[in-house]
Amino acid sequence: MEKILTFFFLIFLLVTPSIINAMPRKKTRKPCQSLVLYFHDIIYNGKNAHNATSAIVGAPAWGNHTILAGQDHFGNLVIFDDPITLDNNLHSPPVGRAQGFYLYDRKDIFTSWLGFSFVFNSTQHQGSINFAGADPLMNKTRDISVIGGTGDFFMARGVATLSTDSFEGDVYFRLRTEINLYECW
């Protein structure tokens, strides 16, 4: 009996590693390219037309086009053409423009939905990176999808982690954007 148990134990030891190796593993992927950029949004408030980089183009019936609606800004649609910089200084030389829109899409919580592109015009990068996704603004960091690109970022896919780096009321905010691309051509 002891020999039979020993035999089965040895078979078990020989078979176990092959079963474990055959099991699917979660593949840890490393980004093929990473960037950290800042974009600076200055919302038109009726008094800052010279400096504004975004404007409310849609508002609910109770709102207007110079002041964001209510506490959660529900129903506002904002378009923007913001400078992108390599650091958090608004006056640093821009490496491109963040162009697109965001809309405030919930009544009960401060959140928005983004669709925009980083359009580069520097000697470092040419082309664009396209983004889309929900932005729960009260979270410290938020992930949105990188859904494509052109030029240096042709057909790029990945994730952009947003964090609000600074804000001044309803007029100015700066987002730190950490971009990790997992498909690079």
Side-chain angles (χ1 to χ4, degrees), residues 114-156:
L114 302 167
F116 66 97
S117 298
F118 278 1
V119 180
F120 294 94
N121 60 1
S122 70
T123 55
Q124 261 187 311
H125 300 293
Q126 292 295 316
S128 65
I129 303 174
N130 305 315
F131 307 86
D135 185 13
L137 297 162
M138 300 312 288
N139 295 355
K140 184 175 180 176
T141 61
R142 295 93 65 190
D143 290 334
I144 61 171
S145 300
V146 174
I147 58 172
T150 64
D152 295 344
F153 307 100
F154 178 72
M155 292 182 60

Side-chain angles (χ1 to χ4, degrees), residues 56-76:
I56 302 167
V57 296
W62 64 87
N64 65 52
H65 292 285
T66 55
I67 300 171
L68 290 167
Q71 178 181 354
D72 296 321
H73 310 318
F74 176 72
N76 283 133

Side-chain angles (χ1 to χ4, degrees), residues 2-185:
E2 190 175 308
K3 287 184 180 185
I4 293 175
L5 286 175
T6 304
F7 174 75
F8 281 115
F9 182 70
L10 289 174
I11 295 291
F12 174 77
L13 289 177
L14 291 173
V15 173
T16 301
S18 62
I19 292 173
I20 290 174
N21 286 335
M23 295 174 69
R25 294 182 190 176
K26 186 175 180 179
K27 187 176 180 181
T28 304
R29 297 185 65 172
K30 294 184 180 179
C32 51
Q33 188 169 7
S34 295
L35 300 161
V36 175
L37 300 165
Y38 295 81
F39 75 93
H40 310 266
D41 191 73
I42 304 168
I43 301 173
Y44 174 69
N45 66 1
K47 301 173 187 168
N48 62 347
H50 180 69
N51 293 329
T53 61
S54 64
I56 302 167
V57 296
W62 64 87
N64 65 52
H65 292 285
T66 55
I67 300 171
L68 290 167
Q71 178 181 354
D72 296 321
H73 310 318
F74 176 72
N76 283 133
L77 171 63
V78 179
I79 59 166
F80 60 89
D81 181 19
D82 298 337
I84 306 168
T85 60
L86 295 173
D87 61 18
N88 62 5
N89 186 344
L90 173 61
H91 302 292
S92 293
V95 295
R97 306 293 292 186
Q99 299 171 331
F101 68 91
Y102 52 93
L103 54 99
Y104 293 97
D105 58 350
R106 290 198 47 191
K107 280 184 165 181
D108 57 341
I109 191 167
F110 194 47
T111 185
S112 67
W113 193 91
L114 302 167
F116 66 97
S117 298
F118 278 1
V119 180
F120 294 94
N121 60 1
S122 70
T123 55
Q124 261 187 311
H125 300 293
Q126 292 295 316
S128 65
I129 303 174
N130 305 315
F131 307 86
D135 185 13
L137 297 162
M138 300 312 288
N139 295 355
K140 184 175 180 176
T141 61
R142 295 93 65 190
D143 290 334
I144 61 171
S145 300
V146 174
I147 58 172
T150 64
D152 295 344
F153 307 100
F154 178 72
M155 292 182 60
R157 300 285 187 274
V159 174
T161 302
L162 305 176
S163 57
T164 304
D165 189 56
S166 174
F167 70 93
E168 294 175 19
D170 287 338
V171 178
Y172 172 80
F173 66 85
R174 177 178 59 232
L175 291 181
R176 181 182 189 275
T177 309
E178 183 179 338
I179 304 165
N180 289 307
L181 302 178
Y182 295 93
E183 287 186 27
C184 303
W185 292 81

